[in-house]
Amino acid sequence: MNNVEKELGVRLYLDRGSISQYYRLFIADIFKGYNGRVLYLDCDTVIVDDIQELMTLDLSNNVIAALKDAFSRHYRKNIELKDNDIMFNSGVMLIDLKKWREENIENRIIVFF
């Protein structure tokens, strides 16, 4: 993976986690040529049952399925988000790579930074 700070064009200050959390933003680069779904799981995620149901989850027209971050209510203020802004936990994500590419998510993230 290339230098994430260089890719995003900003200096990253890590207050909760490591720089590795930003690498998943470039997941399409890791899976070049693959247009299916990718299930991203942090290394501390415990799997207790078959994940097939999760892999076939109806995403409707969404690019990604994720859960709201449990700490977001308190953490939003620290990073200057509004009370109604939503954060998601990036430790478990189901990503439709075809839609990710079609909607140019990587570039949109870079522009956001």
Side-chain angles (χ1 to χ4, degrees):
M1 180 65 215
N2 294 333
N3 182 313
V4 174
E5 290 183 332
K6 183 178 176 184
E7 293 287 332
L8 296 175
V10 298
R11 173 83 173 114
L12 298 172
Y13 297 95
L14 304 172
D15 60 341
R16 199 177 96 160
S18 72
I19 197 136
S20 66
Q21 65 193 353
Y22 291 93
Y23 287 120
R24 65 197 81 175
L25 301 175
F26 304 99
I27 197 158
D29 290 341
I30 297 168
F31 292 96
K32 288 184 192 310
Y34 177 68
N35 279 323
R37 290 180 168 191
V38 172
L39 179 61
Y40 175 88
L41 301 171
D42 271 351
C43 65
D44 61 351
T45 304
V46 177
I47 308 299
V48 296
D49 209 344
D50 186 355
I51 63 170
Q52 186 58 37
E53 187 176 340
L54 183 58
M55 291 301 295
T56 58
L57 183 71
D58 180 10
L59 294 178
S60 298
N61 203 27
N62 296 301
V63 175
I64 186 172
L67 297 173
K68 286 184 182 179
D69 193 302
F71 301 104
S72 67
R73 193 177 109 232
H74 304 289
Y75 189 64
R76 281 187 301 238
K77 291 182 183 182
N78 292 341
I79 59 173
E80 300 178 10
L81 291 176
K82 298 176 185 145
D83 287 342
N84 61 343
D85 286 339
I86 296 173
M87 290 176 50
F88 65 89
N89 183 316
S90 62
V92 178
M93 300 183 296
L94 180 62
I95 302 166
D96 181 331
L97 284 179
K98 183 175 186 232
K99 287 194 66 64
W100 182 278
R101 290 183 178 103
E102 288 172 353
E103 296 194 20
N104 203 16
I105 299 298
E106 182 177 315
N107 189 58
R108 290 168 64 184
I109 291 169
I110 291 170
V111 168
F112 175 77
F113 276 93

